[in-house]
Amino acid sequence: MPIQARWPLQAAWQCFRRDAVLRGWVASGLAMALAAGVSLFSNPALAAHGFALHGDLKYQADFRHFDYANPNAPAGGTLTLANPDRRTSFDKFNPFTLKGTSAPGLNALMFESLLISSADESASAYGLLAEDVTVAPDELSVTFTIRPQARFSNGDPVLASDVKYSYDMLMSKASSPGYRSMCTDVKAVIVAGERTVRFEFKQRNRELPLIVGSLPVFSKKWTAKVPFEKLTFEPPVTSGPYLIERYDAGRGIIFQRDPKYWGKDLAVRRGTFNFARVAYRLYKDETAKLEAFKAGEFDAIVEYKAKNWAKSYQGTRFRNGELLKTEFPHRNGAGMQGFVMNMRKPVFQDVRVRQALILALDFEWLNRQLFYGAYRRLDSWFSNSELAASATFDGRPSPGELALLEPLRAELPPEVFGPDVVQPSTAAPRSLRDNLRQARRLLAQAGWTYTDGALRNAKGETLVFEFLDDGGAMSRVITTYVRNLEKLGIQVNQRTTDFALYQKRLEDFDFDMVSIRFPDSQSPGNELRDRFSSEAAGTPGSDNLFGLKSPVVDKLVDNVLHAHTRQELVTAGRALDRVLMHGYYIVPNWYSASHRVSYRKTLAYPERLPYYYTAEGWILSQWWRTDLQPQAR
């Protein structure tokens, strides 16, 4: 049961992080073998077809298609999907601006970037709009050459000036602040030729060439009549495989594959985006959506609620085989999902209070009673990954971690130098009562004692806060959690609000506690600044919902960003994870290592699954229909 991701403000940003290039950069002096078997850094003038963070690129320059794509997949038919999140309407086609709600599917189907990631490598990217890329000898700039055949939907060539224009718009205050945070170290974008664009950097940051290579590119003509921040239903002028065919802002949108799509024969596109049309239908709530799927109104659904998966996917269409249900394994890092405590509010500023609130969550009961044993407890910001502090042999800092932590010892709690944080459990011989007793002791140490039917401080003030909810799948979990808090004498006001107001309050940091899922990354990088940096804490709309302002965390994030090798990245990631977990900024929830998908039997997918993928993106880009005559691409 995931927590609702943040839309519309972070819609473009989160899709960008999931679907664009996986983060990272080549270590200084690390030999990156290309098709010719040479090192990028041994000849800085050599233009490469892609980047590998560690070792060799899997695919050489003459590769024909990604192994997880079916180059012989039939093209044609319509894929009908439901709204992939809780948006029930939309009022614009611009997924990057702050105001309003964008239509579903825009990022994946219409917008392209200079580079595209490989879903079976943890940190590799290959040319999409760009045919090659050159890194300067001092690593302070990167130059992309745009493919001569690259075209926008209006027939115009994609030029370097369009890349610069797109960058300037994304860096404007009208766009999500996540883009600006990721590109903090970009000094300038230079149009060096009609099809040549150079990004210059303020300092060495091995991730930056891949970051700027993954930014969406669109035509200047999109805003020929309307300023970027005021775009509503002006169709985007983009280079992607689909165009908007028609729409109804309150009911749905239909995309049609562009018959003149320029990139259909590229190796990175072969066997992908096989449907002639992609339609989204909007449903008012999750129950209506599920019942509509079972009635045959759309083709596939990704299920996030364990109870639904166990109990609701049954009926005539399942019995006769018309509808199928499958769990697809993945190797994605789990990211972090949990109840965020906003430390801008005084009630959460004492670490002992935050620890007590974590002790009140009974995961074992929830997993048994509500989730049908489907989940594992999150114990790290990088769970299901080698970057987790808990992945060390004995849970204690390695020598490499200590080398990063020791200079900061005076600013860190001593517990950081001991075992990693173990999440509280109610499995025998422990119990919820034991955990609540421990929580009460911590609260008393923080000055909160039970008096006159409530938890009060020395001034007689009660410990009270609001839990903001958008009425989604987490509501019953929140209610159970609140009951446990009430046993401690904590008063929690559950506030359920509509989706638009919910998003606005998140953007303004106007909440006490809220349920959030932060996306995963196989190679975390500059997105950590948007999530944890002191600067982001004061930037409305950033991922730093906690209000975390810590010079120590800022330094550890920089260590991750400037890691030279995978081992250095792992070490820096574990040190950061260790400090964050000992800060107790979030009540960790749970994760699953598989995608639960139900679909019509007339849909098919490649035999070879990708390693790192989202279920929705995989269905859109890799699946096809088996019940219609294929159409020419």
Side-chain angles (χ1 to χ4, degrees), residues 6 64 252 265 331 396 413 440 451 467 480 520 533 600:
R6 298 197 289 147
R64 299 292 297 164
D265 295 323
R331 302 186 186 182
R396 296 179 179 275
R440 182 161 289 181
T451 307
F467 202 127
T480 302
D520 56 272
S533 74
R600 290 184 191 271

Side-chain angles (χ1 to χ4, degrees), residues 10 110 169 597:
Q10 296 290 41
M110 297 192 71
M169 292 300 99
V597 182

